[in-house]
Amino acid sequence: MKGLPFEVVQALAARTAELIEEPWDAVAVYPDDPSFRRTVFGDFGVMAFHVDEAAELIMIYSVVWAG
C-alpha cells in the first residue's frame, strides 16, 4: 500500500491548522449535534472531525482523498 502524496499531507495539515483556530468554519454533519463537522481540503479532499470545546481540541475521524 502506498501512502498519500506529499501535497495531500501538506493540504491536510494546512486545513487542520486553520480548524484549530476556527473549528466552526466547517459544515455540521448532524443537525442535532453541531460538534461533528465536515470540510474540504486541497483540490480533492474531504475530512470529518469532532470538536471538543471543553478540551479545546478537534479529532479527525475520516479523511477521503479522491485525487
Side-chain angles (χ1 to χ4, degrees), residues 9-25:
V9 175
Q10 191 173 29
L12 178 60
R15 184 63 178 132
T16 301
E18 293 170 357
L19 290 169
I20 290 170
E21 296 297 320
E22 295 287 335
W24 305 113
D25 182 28

Side-chain angles (χ1 to χ4, degrees), residues 5-60:
F6 178 74
E7 296 80 21
V8 177
V9 175
Q10 191 173 29
L12 178 60
R15 184 63 178 132
T16 301
E18 293 170 357
L19 290 169
I20 290 170
E21 296 297 320
E22 295 287 335
W24 305 113
D25 182 28
V27 177
V29 176
Y30 307 112
D32 59 335
D33 188 352
S35 64
F36 288 91
R37 316 292 285 180
R38 178 176 45 233
T39 190
V40 297
F41 68 94
D43 293 330
F44 305 104
V46 177
M47 76 165 137
F49 62 98
H50 178 260
V51 178
D52 184 338
E53 272 194 302
E56 296 184 349
L57 63 88
I58 63 171
M59 181 187 70
I60 300 170

